[in-house]
Amino acid sequence: MFRTLFIFLLFTLIPLWHQMPALQAQTVIDLHTGRISAKTKDDYDVKAREQWQQEQDSLAYVDCLTRAFNYLHADSLALAQEHFERALALRPDAPGNRVVQHNLARILMARSQWKDALQRLSRLVQKAPTWDEAREDRAACCLQLSLFEQALEDYDNLLLRHPADAHFLLLRAMARCGAGKPYEALDDLDEALRNDANHADAYLLRAEIHLDLGQRGYARRDVEKAAKLGAPQADLAHLMQRLSDD
């Protein structure tokens, strides 16, 4: 009986399949009764359901990012962090997630959570070794944590690509000072000032190093140049006090 019904359905439905191709994708045929019915949501295959879920997640992902950046603009760091993390949970493999991770690291830096920020930035640098912003932020975390040798590795890397960058030279000089390398720090500062003669911070740091080395004349010269360039009065007063004490 079942075989007869199956053969009957096969021959009677073949013309229907050729004449109504749209029906193939939208109907279900019950071989026991011969009834044709519309597909329900549960009848769609797994791939289609996954695609639908991905589309919903993508919409939620974009919404989370929009809210996160709005909260950042309003200096609501806790809410921004919450929405960035929610976006990562929704789409952990999204192409733009490295920017999300970087923003999360910078939120941690703003909260002085240097170790947590360092871990996150290290993962980013490992995946993108030439990403200057992430590497510079990692070096800044190392400076805050007194990991001067690690900071030097990052500044060395940055200066390979930007050898004339006075800002990176100044930062490497700071790391070299922390690592007990004052003469190498002076070399960096001399180079920075050759590239940017109006870099007041470089004069201030060089004056500090000269004072540490007992070179008061050089220090005084740099303090005077920094003052002409409008260096902060608090920094100038600190150095002048040191000059008067020595």
Side-chain angles (χ1 to χ4, degrees):
M1 176 66 180
F2 174 75
R3 183 182 178 190
T4 303
L5 178 59
F6 176 78
I7 294 173
F8 172 75
L9 288 173
L10 181 63
F11 282 99
T12 55
L13 290 175
I14 285 176
L16 184 62
W17 283 104
H18 287 289
Q19 294 170 16
M20 303 180 66
L23 187 62
Q24 297 178 39
Q26 301 296 330
T27 59
V28 175
I29 301 170
D30 189 333
L31 293 182
H32 292 287
T33 64
R35 289 199 299 269
I36 301 173
S37 60
K39 272 191 176 181
T40 67
K41 177 182 174 183
D42 292 337
D43 293 317
Y44 284 95
D45 60 25
V46 173
K47 184 176 180 180
R49 288 197 297 274
E50 288 179 348
Q51 182 178 356
W52 176 84
Q53 187 61 56
Q54 288 174 0
E55 290 171 355
Q56 298 304 307
D57 289 347
S58 294
L59 292 173
Y61 176 84
V62 171
D63 180 66
C64 282
L65 291 185
T66 301
R67 291 174 183 270
F69 283 113
N70 286 338
Y71 285 129
L72 268 188
H73 183 71
D75 291 329
S76 299
L77 297 184
L79 288 172
Q81 181 176 354
E82 176 185 336
H83 282 78
F84 279 134
E85 289 176 344
R86 189 177 300 171
L88 290 175
L90 285 166
R91 294 193 60 193
D93 299 320
N97 277 351
R98 74 172 196 165
V99 177
V100 178
Q101 294 280 10
H102 191 203
N103 276 279
L104 281 169
R106 286 186 163 177
I107 289 173
L108 293 171
M109 291 172 70
R111 291 176 160 184
S112 298
Q113 295 174 244
W114 304 109
K115 290 183 179 180
D116 293 335
L118 177 59
Q119 290 178 358
R120 196 177 290 268
L121 289 163
S122 292
R123 290 194 292 268
L124 290 175
V125 170
Q126 185 176 11
K127 293 178 181 178
T130 59
W131 188 4
D132 292 343
E133 292 83 0
R135 189 175 286 276
E136 183 181 359
D137 285 344
R138 185 173 75 167
C141 290
C142 290
L143 285 180
Q144 291 291 334
L145 295 167
S146 298
L147 302 172
F148 300 115
E149 293 295 342
Q150 292 184 36
L152 282 174
E153 291 179 8
D154 280 333
Y155 290 129
D156 287 345
N157 184 286
L158 290 164
L159 283 162
L160 284 174
R161 291 191 296 282
H162 310 279
D165 191 300
H167 178 64
F168 290 149
L169 286 165
L170 172 66
L171 291 170
R172 187 169 70 177
M174 294 175 63
R176 283 178 163 174
C177 284
K181 302 174 181 179
Y183 291 103
E184 293 182 23
L186 286 176
D187 290 339
D188 277 343
L189 293 169
D190 290 345
E191 181 67 20
L193 289 167
R194 279 193 291 270
N195 297 332
D196 181 5
N198 296 320
H199 203 312
D201 288 338
Y203 284 115
L204 290 171
L205 180 56
R206 194 168 71 172
E208 287 271 12
I209 297 172
H210 283 314
L211 282 170
D212 291 341
L213 295 173
Q215 301 167 343
R216 297 178 72 255
Y218 290 136
R220 188 178 299 277
R221 177 200 62 186
D222 283 344
V223 170
E224 291 172 354
K225 289 183 177 180
K228 290 179 181 179
L229 291 170
Q233 286 298 315
D235 293 333
L236 293 170
H238 165 71
L239 289 169
M240 291 302 295
Q241 182 64 48
R242 285 196 63 186
L243 280 166
S244 64
D245 290 343
D246 289 343

